[in-house]
Amino acid sequence: MLATLFDKTKPGARAIGFPKGKIHPSQKIPSHLLRKTPPGLPEVTELEVVRHFTKLSQLNYSVDTNFYPLGSCTMKYNPKACFRLAFHGAFSERHPLLPAWAIQGTLKALKDFENALLEITGMDALTLAPAAGAHAELAGLLVTRAYFQNRGEIPQRKKIIIPDSAHGTNPASAALAGFEVVTIKSNARGRVNIEELKKHLNETAAMVMITLPNTLGLFEDEISEIARLAHQAGVQMYMDGANMNALMGIAKPGNLGFDVMHLNLHKTFSVPHGGGGPGAGVLLVKRHLDDFLPVPRIIEKNGQLQIEEAHPKSIGRIRSFHGSTANLLWSAAYVALLGKEGVLEASKGAILNANYLRVLLKEAGLTPFSDEPCMHEAVFTIDPKKLNGVRTLDIAKRLLDFKFYAPTIYFPLIVPEAIMVEPTETETPETLEEFASAVKTILQEARTTPETVKTAPHTLPVKRIDDVTAARNPVISWQPSRDQ
Amino acid sequence: MNKEEKLLQKIGIKNFEELLPPIPKELLFPQINIPEGKTELELTEYVESLAAKNPPVTSFLGAGAYDHFVPQTVWELAKRGEFLTAYTPYQAEASQGTLLALFEFQTMMTELFAMEATNASLYEGATALAEAVIMSRRWHQEELGLAAKKLLIPRALHPHYKSTLATYTVNLGVHITEVPYDRKTGKLDLAFLENALNDPEAFGFVAGQPNFFGVLEDVDALAEIRQKTKALFIALVNNPITLGILRPPGEYNADIAVAEGQPLGLAVNYGGPNLGLMAAKNLYMRKMPGRICGKTVDAEGKTSYTLTLQTREQHIRREKATSNICTNQSLCALAATIYLSLLGPKGLKEAAELTFSRAHELLDRLVALKGKAGRPLFEHGEFFQEFPFETQITAERLEVAEAAAGIIPGYPLSRDFSELPNTILIATTEKTTPAMMDQLTDFLQGNVIASEAKQSHKRGPF
């Protein structure tokens, strides 16, 4: 394992210096406000920094280096051409408080992008402010709450109905927005149990949050009926759009009965994931919720694009400034590259690849949750009893030895030993075949030499990592006494 | 046989449509009215046509986003595909690069803030503050068994942070009270704060260092006030570069410190992506929001890194999680880590000192004009990189003049503080050159307005 830069520190070494200023802080600031002990940052040369981080990068699996079939995360290729907009100095070096006249190019790019997203989703209005999907969810819940408040239906409508297959962010965001969470069980086909749902659709419910396609990679085929029942009870319909990569050009959520939805630009719209962000979220709503969207918004006034800072019924701000603009511009470039045919081609390709891989993995020996066609991803399970006790976690770790990143595992929570695979449209059939063949080999190993699988990985910079010790006695920063 | 036919054959169907769910025909394959797809060449033409609509300006804007110097090396490294296109490090064994960098990031944060607990980043400054407030409230409820509802925030707090806080807490029963600032010094009214904290209903108070006006607060007095109350002290560090020269929150008894990390190697990017920073006293570790990277060992006892304390998080605790945050700002944290590695303690101190010097040089030049450009709102020099300046120009005339001269002299405080008409918040960084200062002093003396006002019709949108 590599040493940290703190281990390499040599007092006095440094990479970057600055000229001396004319006025020293001690001339103006009382000494009790000044720092006495400098922060213990590394003291190293520039070359040491470059080698260190270059070597660190080489310890990672990434889309650029490995097939990354991480379900629910849409790890598609992020076209390098998008850098041309996202990292262009005329956009990146613009202060967020510049007046509209100085920023028309950025606002035009964002407005074009907004229009494209409204077209793709069939919704009526949106905000680009959210920093990520969960942030957009929270905003969507607050918008819905404000809508009901305005109608005098708060505090009566206090429940958010969420299927048990949902992402954990759904209930967490609902709680943060001051709602109660009602979890409903999925039926045997992995869909919303409508009878169960009906029991909760009344004047105490505010919203039903549905992931579409759901986290099993399946379309809620009774979505129109669900929406009809919800609306009949005065309940709003929310779509978690994390899986929008299955729907572009195939169906518009706005036509399927949804009132509110969010998109994760770092999934469907190709913002590189960055090892855990920055992402970007978009919240989209139907007309009746438009007035409640957060500020600021881009509006057109006197033939010029402007920033609207206040709006009478708005829930207010959900962050400082406008949004994760560089990421928004990345996605704007991505949508410009795809164009009207490209969006459908992307989703079509994602569905085709997922079904191809679904068939290959079934042949390889995994048990699909469902034998129906899937949308953009598929969920499998295994029976450890038939595999000498080899578990999903072991298979995931062994896949790393075959130079594949692992699928999402143990999610959704309703499938035991879940393996959730999402190939995306940008992979070739050959890559999917190699992956399925690795899975087949691993299942064979599980039957003959299970220890090989249970102790994997064997070829990575580290062996299987002990998560339990890490949590029991958390060490979250470098300490000289412990580390030397 | 083309690719699609090959795949369909293997799947065992004839047409792609057979894979689709029962969506009514009239809703299937809807028209998407957006332009045709562009080639990369066409994309560059589109980008350049937009870039031409973002004219260069000389800007003295700060107010929460600061155009500091970013060494070339930062993004040369951070943009590497292996960092850029990896996911959150769920499979730790195949993500040691990201994890070790996050561990270094967390170490740097504990060093900068002089506090023990921290995380692997939050979205940005305003939401980091909101998370800290929610965390303080939970601490009161869950650990102290108190149902206090009152939060004290400075009137001199960033207006975007105020609005974000209100949005986040409005449904959680939090009552926010503003603590005024002293009109002579711009500092927090400590007597008001102390008095307000006598109310057992208070669960937390926020103070900025410096505050939104750029003014430095008396942190020793704040530390003393914290001693006398059960309310948690949330320190908002306005710019983490200040910590190269200013006392860190861990030394003035703050419970939780938050900051906007953008100045640490990120471009201003018209507002994002930014980097939310949070550090806290050790006792709050298990109440922290967001990802935390921990050191551990592998099966052979070798040092390795993994995401830890995950039972706080939404994917396990669902509605009982400490926060709903999932995807955070990992790559921005990486950039900050590279930035701080390049600068080290000396470079950070120099960046802070040079920024400080630029601001004070600029103020000296403005003051030397003996009122012709206006006057500083506060007479003391206890500020870091920005100061409020009362100009001779009204806000309306200012906008026209700015467009004419291609200069933005500062952020108009009258937008959010009606008691401060014609006052702008002027900010510098180490990139503020003497030539830019000349431009500003000229502009504020009205030279530009007199000579160029006529041209404004030709040039600007007005």
Side-chain angles (χ1 to χ4, degrees), chain B residues 168-212:
Chain B
Y168 262 73
T169 58
V170 68
N171 301 311
L172 303 176
V174 172
H175 302 301
I176 298 177
T177 304
E178 285 192 3
V179 181
Y181 60 89
D182 183 303
R183 292 297 298 271
K184 270 214 177 96
T185 63
K187 297 186 187 204
L188 203 60
D189 183 337
L190 294 173
F192 183 102
L193 175 66
E194 199 163 358
N195 191 43
L197 285 170
N198 283 333
D199 182 353
E201 269 299 295
F203 69 87
F205 66 101
V206 178
Q209 183 67 336
N211 66 26
F212 183 60

Side-chain angles (χ1 to χ4, degrees), chain B residues 258-300:
Chain B
V258 289
E260 169 54 69
Q262 172 271 322
L264 304 176
L266 310 180
V268 280
N269 269 324
Y270 198 58
N274 284 0
L275 173 62
L277 305 178
M278 181 185 277
K281 287 182 177 168
N282 206 32
L283 76 161
Y284 303 117
M285 176 104 79
R286 286 172 197 268
K287 299 284 178 192
M288 298 282 287
R291 311 279 187 206
I292 296 176
C293 170
K295 189 172 125 167
T296 185
V297 288
D298 72 357
E300 292 178 350

Side-chain angles (χ1 to χ4, degrees), chain A residues 295-473:
Chain A
V295 286
R297 312 217 271 184
I298 303 169
I299 54 164
E300 207 157 346
K301 208 169 146 189
N302 308 329
Q304 194 200 25
L305 293 167
Q306 302 200 357
I307 294 291
E308 185 189 47
E309 279 288 346
H311 194 85
K313 289 182 185 161
S314 166
I315 60 163
R317 283 189 161 273
I318 56 164
R319 57 167 297 157
S320 60
F321 308 121
H322 311 284
S324 297
T325 308
N327 287 359
L328 300 173
L329 294 175
W330 180 290
S331 284
Y334 176 70
V335 169
L337 288 169
L338 287 184
K340 60 164 71 173
E341 321 79 11
V343 291
L344 173 61
E345 284 311 308
S347 284
K348 230 177 127 177
I351 295 172
L352 266 175
N353 269 357
N355 279 286
Y356 185 58
L357 188 56
R358 175 177 61 85
V359 171
L360 293 178
L361 288 177
K362 188 182 176 187
E363 280 181 6
L366 296 181
T367 310
F369 172 81
S370 164
D371 269 326
E372 298 173 57
C374 62
M375 295 293 280
H376 66 302
E377 66 189 358
V379 175
F380 299 85
T381 183
I382 55 162
D383 184 356
K385 286 194 288 276
K386 292 182 186 156
L387 293 170
N388 295 313
V390 165
R391 298 192 58 201
T392 282
L393 179 72
D394 305 317
I395 293 174
K397 297 300 182 193
R398 185 63 178 142
L399 274 167
L400 304 177
D401 282 328
F402 287 80
K403 305 301 168 214
F404 296 111
Y405 198 79
T408 294
I409 54 174
Y410 300 104
F411 186 82
L413 307 174
I414 56 174
V415 178
E417 299 295 323
I419 302 174
M420 186 195 216
V421 187
E422 179 180 9
T424 82
E425 69 279 15
T426 53
E427 298 296 334
T428 62
E430 291 72 29
T431 300
L432 307 186
E433 288 152 18
E434 287 162 21
F435 178 75
S437 142
V439 170
K440 191 176 177 184
T441 306
I442 293 167
L443 290 172
Q444 192 56 39
E445 286 175 344
R447 289 184 199 97
T448 53
T449 53
E451 280 312 302
T452 314
V453 187
K454 286 180 185 173
T455 55
H458 302 284
T459 59
L460 272 75
V462 290
K463 301 278 192 271
R464 182 98 47 116
I465 283 174
D466 180 358
D467 290 328
V468 179
T469 307
R472 195 175 297 141
N473 177 25

Side-chain angles (χ1 to χ4, degrees), chain A residues 246-305:
Chain A
L247 292 184
M248 288 192 295
I250 288 176
K252 298 185 181 186
N255 294 342
L256 299 172
F258 289 103
D259 305 292
V260 197
M261 70 172 293
H262 83 260
L263 296 170
N264 305 67
L265 297 186
H266 45 291
K267 293 180 179 178
T268 311
F269 294 93
S270 148
V271 169
H273 206 283
V282 180
L283 175 70
L284 305 102
V285 297
K286 283 292 182 61
R287 189 69 64 209
H288 62 286
L289 296 168
D290 184 353
D291 276 346
F292 304 97
L293 282 177
V295 286
R297 312 217 271 184
I298 303 169
I299 54 164
E300 207 157 346
K301 208 169 146 189
N302 308 329
Q304 194 200 25
L305 293 167

Side-chain angles (χ1 to χ4, degrees), chain A residues 156-161 179-182 202 204-207:
Chain A
Q156 301 92 287
R157 293 200 186 269
K158 58 187 172 197
K159 292 178 189 160
I160 304 291
I161 304 166
F179 286 109
E180 284 172 26
V181 174
V182 177
N202 53 41
T204 67
M207 189 142 75

